[in-house]
């Protein structure tokens, strides 16, 4: 791929939120993230094979995305070129891996996520001649015609993730056909009745810890694996005129279900301010209240609803979304469930969510919530670096299960990746420091590419 400068990409009304000492701390953290990720990604991986994951979630594509945005935000030309070269090195390696290894189609762990990253950066970091992702579209079109495509509906590993990829591709005919197939598949797999629309997770497709709570299956209420994450893709399709009537019907029903099945958040008690459970039981009853994160809980769901509301012009939905986010901002930190700094279920992810909502609505309470969680992320780094435990990469360890063994004990672990590791934290901190819009948050359902 060519790294010749492309035309400037217009930013939205995005403004930095960290200043003074906080900004100095964030810049120091970013410099360490950039340096240590370069060293980390240069190490041999995968034992004697040297094979490294190309994925967006935890592999080369996600780390390359960090370096790309770092290059775009760096004013010093020599430094910017250095980070652009790092980005291209990792993205080239990810693209090469797709041609030499069997890779699943999923957005976060598979080839559509690598393709999304290349599409997103084309015209920002580099200029490709022709359409480099058309072949991926054709593979996805075939996959969406197969029975395997009906297995999962979510953004991480299912139909919604393919919709995110197709929306990034804009008005290209093959991308619109992909998006149409995604909407049709979502419609075919949805549970629809007078109460609304939702998607059922059968017990055989659920992690063991979720089956213990819901042995008969459930309707997942989290953004990563459930209904809220579907809403921005439905809104994007409706606004783009792709399977418009079906997308709008599913969107209306999905929002109706989510808003009508919230917890009684006005009641005092331990979980005051929590609107959503982790899941709804098969009969529609809510389970226990969720944590405070992008993947589960009010911040991610509120942000997804706000994104969808803006795309289809629903001020009433936007007001409900902001209400959820303001209540989430007021939730005491000791009841948040936050342990680490990652985007998925950590403090940097919360900072980004509240920052994006502030950019949309301009509410100072949202800005202060964003600053709080950005600072919490930096404070975590200070505590980690001053202690004797696992320092992670650049002082940002992930509180997680062992890679490839989700049932293992939670512990502090090294994680370079986008979704739960240092690359994602770096992207969030970069967004807190600069006026460059973090359009990469489209992959989280926090914003949508214009059609």
């Amino acid at each position: 791929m060519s790294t010749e400068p492309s035309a400037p990409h217009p930013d939205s009304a995005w403004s930095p939120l960290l200043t003074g000492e906080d900004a100095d701390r964030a810049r120091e953290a970013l410099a360490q993230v950039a340096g240590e990720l370069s060293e980390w990604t240069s190490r041999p991986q995968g034992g004697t094979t040297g094979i490294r994951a190309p994925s967006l979630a935890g592999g080369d594509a996600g780390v390359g995305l960090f370096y790309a945005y770092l290059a775009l935000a760096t004013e010093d030309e020599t430094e910017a070129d250095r980070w652009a070269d790092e980005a291209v090195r990792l993205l080239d390696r990810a693209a090469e891996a797709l041609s030499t290894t069997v890779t699943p189609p999923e957005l976060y762990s598979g080839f559509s996520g690598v393709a999304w990253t290349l599409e997103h950066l084309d015209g920002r970091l580099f200029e490709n001649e022709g359409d480099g992702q058309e072949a991926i579209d054709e593979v996805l079109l075939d996959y969406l015609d197969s029975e395997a495509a009906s297995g999962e509906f979510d953004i991480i590993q299912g139909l919604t993730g393919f919709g995110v990829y197709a929306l990034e591709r804009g008005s290209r005919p093959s991308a619109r056909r992909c998006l149409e197939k995604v909407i049709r598949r979502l419609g075919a797999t949805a549970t629809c009745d007078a109460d609304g629309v939702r998607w059922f997770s059968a017990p055989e497709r659920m992690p063991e810890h979720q089956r213990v709570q819901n042995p008969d299956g459930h309707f997942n209420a989290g953004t990563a694996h459930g209904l809220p994450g579907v809403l921005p893709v439905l809104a994007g399709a409706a606004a783009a005129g792709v399977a418009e009537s079906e997308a709008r019907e599913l969107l209306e029903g999905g929002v109706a279900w989510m808003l009508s099945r919230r917890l009684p958040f006005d009641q005092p008690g331990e979980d005051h301010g929590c609107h959503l459970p982790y899941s709804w039981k098969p009969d529609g009853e809510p389970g226990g209240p969720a944590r405070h994160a992008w993947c589960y809980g009010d911040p991610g769901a509120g942000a997804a609803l706000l994104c969808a509301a803006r795309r289809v012009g629903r001020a009433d939905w936007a007001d409900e979304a902001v209400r959820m986010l303001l209540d989430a901002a007021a939730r005491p930190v000791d009841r948040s469930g936050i342990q680490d700094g990652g985007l998925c279920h950590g403090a940097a992810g919360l900072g980004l969510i509240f920052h994006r909502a502030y950019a949309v609505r301009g509410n100072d309470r949202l800005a202060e919530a964003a600053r709080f969680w950005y600072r919490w992320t930096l404070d975590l780094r200070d505590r980690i670096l001053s202690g004797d435990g696992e320092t992670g990469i650049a002082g940002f360890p992930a509180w997680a299960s062992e890679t490839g063994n989700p049932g293992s004990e939670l512990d502090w672990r090294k994680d370079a990746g986008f979704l739960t590791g240092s690359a994602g934290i770096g992207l969030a901190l970069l967004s807190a420091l600069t006026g460059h819009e973090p359009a990469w948050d489209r992959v989280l359902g926090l914003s949508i590419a214009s059609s």
Side-chain angles (χ1 to χ4, degrees), residues 286-298:
R291 63 178 302 163
H292 198 60
W294 170 76
C295 55
Y296 284 95
D298 298 351

Side-chain angles (χ1 to χ4, degrees), residues 16 18 21-38 63 65-74 79 82-83 348 374 377-378 381-382 385 393-396 421-436 440:
L18 293 184
E21 182 182 351
D22 291 328
D24 291 340
R25 294 165 68 206
R27 281 190 285 268
E28 180 185 347
L30 270 172
Q32 190 175 357
V33 169
E36 292 194 15
L37 281 178
S38 179
V63 182
L65 183 66
F66 162 70
Y67 279 119
Y69 269 82
L70 183 60
L72 293 170
T74 298
E79 281 292 285
R82 175 188 175 188
W83 303 134
Y374 286 142
T377 305
L378 296 168
R381 177 174 177 268
D382 291 343
L385 291 179
I393 296 175
F396 293 116
S422 295
I425 295 171
L427 278 163
L429 292 177
L430 194 62
S431 300
L433 282 172
T434 76
H436 291 269
W440 56 265

Side-chain angles (χ1 to χ4, degrees), residues 194-218:
D195 294 326
V197 173
R198 61 275 189 200
W199 284 265
F200 185 68
S201 297
E204 61 270 19
R205 295 189 177 276
M206 293 162 51
E208 184 177 355
H209 70 276
Q210 291 182 351
R211 290 198 301 273
V212 171
Q213 298 295 323
N214 294 286
D216 297 322
H218 67 194

Side-chain angles (χ1 to χ4, degrees), residues 25-265:
R25 294 165 68 206
R27 281 190 285 268
E28 180 185 347
L30 270 172
Q32 190 175 357
V33 169
E36 292 194 15
L37 281 178
S38 179
E39 191 275 334
W40 181 264
T41 57
S42 298
R43 297 178 180 178
Q45 298 288 310
T48 59
T49 64
I51 294 174
R52 180 186 299 273
S55 73
L56 172 62
D60 284 341
V63 182
L65 183 66
F66 162 70
Y67 279 119
Y69 269 82
L70 183 60
L72 293 170
T74 298
E75 294 182 359
D76 182 90
E77 186 174 345
T78 301
E79 281 292 285
D81 287 345
R82 175 188 175 188
W83 303 134
D85 288 345
E86 284 286 339
V88 171
R89 173 179 73 88
L90 292 165
L91 295 170
D92 278 346
R93 192 164 71 181
E96 182 180 359
L98 294 189
S99 66
T100 58
T101 61
V102 177
T103 309
E106 288 85 354
L107 182 66
Y108 275 82
S109 62
F111 64 74
S112 64
V114 177
W116 180 92
T117 308
L118 296 173
E119 180 69 28
H120 182 71
L121 295 175
D122 192 357
R124 287 182 168 84
L125 184 70
F126 49 77
E127 294 281 1
N128 274 330
E129 294 183 5
D131 185 357
Q133 317 313 324
E134 188 173 10
I136 297 293
D137 293 356
E138 295 303 322
V139 173
L140 271 183
L141 285 166
D142 288 342
Y143 179 76
L144 288 166
D145 283 332
S146 71
E147 279 302 310
S150 296
E152 302 291 349
F153 69 89
D154 65 15
I155 192 171
I156 296 289
Q157 55 191 2
L159 293 166
T160 300
F162 304 140
V164 170
Y165 164 76
L167 283 168
E168 192 67 27
R169 298 270 291 143
S171 60
R172 294 178 177 85
S174 57
R176 290 177 68 86
R177 291 199 304 274
C178 280
L179 185 57
E180 181 177 7
K181 286 180 183 290
V182 165
I183 301 304
R184 305 293 187 208
R185 282 283 190 175
L186 285 170
T189 56
T191 298
C192 307
D193 55 29
D195 294 326
V197 173
R198 61 275 189 200
W199 284 265
F200 185 68
S201 297
E204 61 270 19
R205 295 189 177 276
M206 293 162 51
E208 184 177 355
H209 70 276
Q210 291 182 351
R211 290 198 301 273
V212 171
Q213 298 295 323
N214 294 286
D216 297 322
H218 67 194
F219 296 103
N220 195 298
T223 301
H225 295 290
L227 185 153
V230 186
L231 303 179
V233 165
L234 294 174
V242 177
E244 182 176 358
S245 60
E246 187 167 2
R248 288 188 182 276
E249 184 176 352
L250 292 170
L251 178 62
E252 293 272 355
V255 173
W257 174 270
M258 187 175 81
L259 295 183
S260 68
R261 290 298 190 278
R262 289 178 290 181
L263 295 164
F265 59 91

Side-chain angles (χ1 to χ4, degrees), residues 1-13:
M1 62 185 66
S2 169
T3 57
E4 289 299 314
S6 59
H9 188 77
D11 288 334
S12 70

